[in-house]
Amino acid sequence: MGKSPALSYEYFDPFNFATDDNFAILREAELKHGRIAMLAVIGNVSGTDLWRASFDNQLSPLSFVDPSKLLLSPGNNLSFEDIPVGLKTLTTIPLVGWIQIIVFVGVLERRVFVQKDPRDMPGDYGIGYFGVRNKAQNERSLRSELENGRLAMVAFVGQVVAELVTGDTVMEQVRHTLDYK
């Protein structure tokens, strides 16, 4: 939805969802999904390697902690090291853990990330973009955030499809491709 100079279309709304009344709501949803997708793509690529490196590095503040002793679910005797990478994670986390995640995200959605002033830009939760509330000064950054979010949504779907097809996580696929151990 909306203008995309990078892809040279004026407005992309093939199903005519957007109206003047709901455009700000749909743009805010697009920004939220884009921000989550950007984090998901980064986490999907670097999650395991960063986690392991934080314990293996002698300069890390976590180097004195034994990662096998950190329990994610003490009732199930499930440590963080027991959680696999990629889509296999979905079947490993206990039901109570999923309930906690859903409640936490619901609180964020309904109480924290709420448009406080309807005159503000979509996705602005009271602090402005990059601490500045002047849209004209940040037009390029705002457009970049929107475009990068759109790209991240497509990239995450690609990562999931690739893992479903090959059975390998993103980093395993990279290692196979580069023949890196």
Side-chain angles (χ1 to χ4, degrees):
M1 264 192 16
K3 191 173 186 172
S4 176
L7 299 175
S8 51
Y9 57 77
E10 186 65 29
Y11 290 100
F12 180 76
D13 187 11
F15 299 111
N16 292 321
F17 287 136
T19 64
D20 289 339
D21 297 332
N22 69 359
F23 184 80
I25 294 167
L26 294 174
R27 175 55 50 91
E28 182 182 2
E30 184 179 19
L31 282 166
K32 281 183 184 180
H33 286 102
R35 291 168 181 167
I36 291 167
M38 286 187 270
L39 291 173
V41 167
I42 291 170
N44 209 7
V45 170
S46 64
T48 304
D49 293 337
L50 286 178
W51 173 256
R52 304 238 186 280
S54 64
F55 289 101
D56 294 341
N57 185 350
Q58 295 300 318
L59 300 176
S60 169
L62 297 174
S63 62
F64 66 92
V65 178
D66 181 7
S68 63
K69 302 280 193 249
L70 292 175
L71 293 180
L72 175 67
S73 176
N76 295 327
N77 199 25
L78 184 66
S79 73
F80 283 95
E81 284 206 332
D82 297 334
I83 304 295
V85 181
L87 295 177
K88 296 178 188 117
T89 303
L90 300 175
T91 59
T92 307
I93 297 177
L95 177 63
V96 175
W98 282 114
I99 293 170
Q100 290 172 349
I101 291 169
I102 290 168
V103 168
F104 178 71
V105 169
V107 168
L108 288 178
E109 181 72 24
R110 292 289 178 193
R111 300 280 183 229
V112 179
F113 297 122
V114 177
Q115 199 82 29
K116 298 186 178 33
D117 186 354
R119 295 171 296 167
D120 285 342
M121 296 171 284
D124 181 358
Y125 302 113
I127 59 168
Y129 288 96
F130 312 109
V132 180
R133 295 183 65 92
N134 185 347
K135 182 181 177 187
Q137 285 182 323
N138 298 312
E139 187 68 33
R140 183 173 184 274
S141 297
L142 297 172
R143 196 172 340 113
S144 295
E145 179 185 21
L146 190 62
E147 296 288 335
N148 289 335
R150 290 171 178 168
L151 179 62
M153 288 186 267
V154 172
F156 184 72
V157 169
Q159 289 176 340
V160 169
V161 169
E163 186 171 342
L164 287 172
V165 169
T166 65
D168 291 338
T169 65
V170 174
M171 288 311 295
E172 288 170 347
Q173 293 175 42
V174 169
R175 287 185 181 105
H176 291 314
T177 303
L178 299 177
D179 197 25
Y180 175 75
K181 306 231 183 238

